[in-house]
Amino acid sequence: MRIEELKKRLCIPEELFDKELASHGWSWHQLARGELPLSFEELQLAIICRDPVLWSAAFLKDPDTGEPYRYWDYQLESVRDVGNVIHADGAEVGKTREIGNLILWGAFTQGGSSTLVGAPEQVHLDDIIDYCLDQMFHLSPELGRALKRHKKHPHHVFYFANRSKIYFSPAGFDGTGFRGKHVDRFAIMEEAAKVKNPDIWNEFFRAAKPGCSIRIYSVPDGDRSTVYYRLKEAARRQKKDDDLGELTGSRHFTFYNWRKTMQPEPFWSEERRKFYIELYGGEDSPGYKRNVLGEDGDPESAVFPWQVLTKSLKDIEEYRCLKIITDGTSVHIKGTRYDCQYEDSRPVGKEVVIIDKTLSVDSFSLEDTMKGFFRAIGGLIYVGGDFGYSRDPSELVVRLVVGRVWRTIARVHLRGVNYDMQADCVSILDDIFSPAGFGFDYGNAGSAVVHILQNNERFRGRGYIDRVVGYQFAESFEDVDEEGNVVLDPRTDKPRKKSAKQLATDLMLKKMQRAEYELPLDPDYITQFSTHTAREGSKGMIYSKGNDHTIDAERACTLRQVLNEVVEDLFAVGA
């Protein structure tokens, strides 16, 4: 909407305009005679700016249609709720757009205000950031002129001409991403069910100044042990959780439950209902209850409990992490190590940046970058990998075996990198560390990378047909111990069967419990491992999906190390 249109006609519901006049004791006749301190245009604009629904319709566009933005009916109450709210919603019901619209409304209508949008990981924030940028520079470009600066490192921040700012901060494993931030407009937590460490919530609530509206959103995951679950249940029952009083203070939360069944056609229909029943295995299945109905469903539990995980977090002097992210024209490189500090007798990794720069694609050399960053280490080494493409990241981990101890000494994170470069990355790690073997998740991306390694002429002579093994995580295996010896079920005296994913997970967990599995103080490791959950299924454990790429790389590495020759003939492509 152009501001000039407000001068020509009434652009808001007539009853709202009448109510505004009546609240001041004014009349239409006084307005027409010019006797009021505000003009017709100014009155309309004031009403629009006070109401996020009207403001969104006036200044934002629907990304799908390009028309003025319209909320679905079930969203209106939450959007207009100026208090503290908590959501337990189905998937893809409008959370991202509500968050994006609200934070833009807050920034543009209250100069000098500040907002924090937090989430367990950066990946959970990317869609919100992209949505806001799309609104400001493509759908409603007149808004983009007010964005004076977009800071991207180490975390995204929007700075506006009216001195408002919006922080987008991943929490880190203990809430470090929220420290030093104090906001007065909104404090928003996305994907709240994935926040498992209570310390994160302490830092999040501390960032909100008095009067700041706190908004918490998530699809439930069934974990009844989290702060999110307790906050949600207290709000749903309209009862205060006394044990959380110190955390929340006197704040009261209003509970909202957006179900996919509330959506209008074609987003919800009988055909869609049947699709989701088939997808999740029935209306009573946990997946259907969570993703369609926004309910908890059957309980899930942490795969790597915090008290067990912390025993594995070590000050690994050799550990280095290299992140390579490209958009096709430029490449951002960040290489770090983590120095050990102690907080409350708990080891905490302080990030030490070794390299942080952006290069053009033409001037970037993967080989020079990797060989200049990592140091060769002797010993028995295995490499595990989980591959992706486009926005889905790839993770490669390097494990040193020291006696009975498994020690992760290096990690490579790739994003936006094609399959050929991913294969080159494997080959360069081979040059640096000379691994005994490589184990990869044999999904779509993994099978493509394995095919290149085992069939491309430039890798001839490296023995990748024998050394590189792909594992289908859903494939069934006989249960084995860490030495590869088959484990018999004492009840049947026969080998038990497990999926490759469960077998690898069980082996990793046992090594943790024995203090024989050393993981770095890398926040990405800590966040992924601490938020990973599972539930019991009819055919074994069913693990949560999403932010688990590093875990899957460790799983693949474990299978390659433990199974070794036992399954190599079955899974070596081209053998």
Side-chain angles (χ1 to χ4, degrees), residues 221-412:
D221 68 355
D223 187 345
R224 269 79 166 168
S225 67
T226 63
V227 170
Y228 166 73
Y229 177 82
R230 292 168 60 189
L231 287 171
K232 170 181 69 69
E233 287 301 292
R236 184 175 67 83
R237 296 170 180 164
Q238 296 185 342
K239 292 183 178 180
K240 195 169 183 63
D241 188 325
D242 293 335
D243 292 335
L244 294 176
E246 186 176 345
L247 177 70
T248 62
S250 60
R251 293 184 178 92
H252 167 78
F253 285 86
T254 303
F255 175 72
Y256 292 94
N257 173 223
W258 291 352
R259 301 170 173 232
K260 292 188 75 67
T261 56
M262 296 175 172
Q263 295 181 293
E265 290 192 8
F267 301 98
W268 185 257
S269 63
E270 180 61 20
E271 183 180 353
R272 295 295 288 169
R273 186 183 76 86
K274 292 178 180 178
F275 168 78
Y276 286 113
I277 289 174
E278 182 177 354
L279 177 65
Y280 294 117
E283 289 180 292
D284 292 330
S285 68
Y288 187 94
K289 288 186 175 181
R290 291 166 194 160
N291 293 285
V292 175
L293 303 180
E295 298 176 358
D296 287 284
D298 291 339
E300 288 190 351
S301 57
V303 178
F304 306 100
W306 184 250
Q307 64 271 23
V308 177
L309 175 62
T310 52
K311 295 178 182 178
S312 289
L313 300 176
K314 302 293 183 181
D315 180 16
I316 302 175
E317 184 179 353
E318 310 98 305
Y319 179 76
R320 298 288 186 275
C321 174
L322 181 65
K323 296 184 178 182
I324 300 173
I325 301 171
T326 178
D327 59 6
T329 59
S330 63
V331 181
H332 182 71
I333 309 161
K334 185 175 182 180
T336 55
R337 73 172 195 268
Y338 294 90
D339 287 352
C340 181
Q341 296 181 340
Y342 286 89
E343 294 183 5
D344 299 325
S345 301
R346 185 184 64 197
V348 176
K350 177 185 177 183
E351 182 182 76
V352 178
V353 178
I354 300 172
I355 180 174
D356 190 356
K357 61 182 179 180
T358 300
L359 304 171
S360 67
V361 169
D362 294 337
S363 61
F364 170 70
S365 168
L366 179 65
E367 183 173 10
D368 290 346
T369 299
M370 292 182 63
K371 289 186 176 180
F373 180 72
F374 291 112
R375 297 178 297 177
I377 296 174
L380 179 59
I381 287 176
Y382 291 91
V383 171
D386 178 51
F387 295 102
Y389 197 61
S390 185
R391 290 187 62 178
D392 200 26
S394 298
E395 297 283 355
L396 288 158
V397 299
V398 181
R399 177 185 296 171
L400 174 65
V401 182
V402 184
R404 298 184 61 86
V405 174
W406 300 352
R407 180 181 301 154
T408 300
I409 60 171
R411 169 185 170 221
V412 181

Side-chain angles (χ1 to χ4, degrees), residues 446-459:
S447 61
V449 175
V450 170
H451 179 80
I452 293 171
L453 289 167
Q454 295 184 335
N455 293 279
N456 194 290
E457 185 67 29
R458 71 180 187 274
F459 300 120

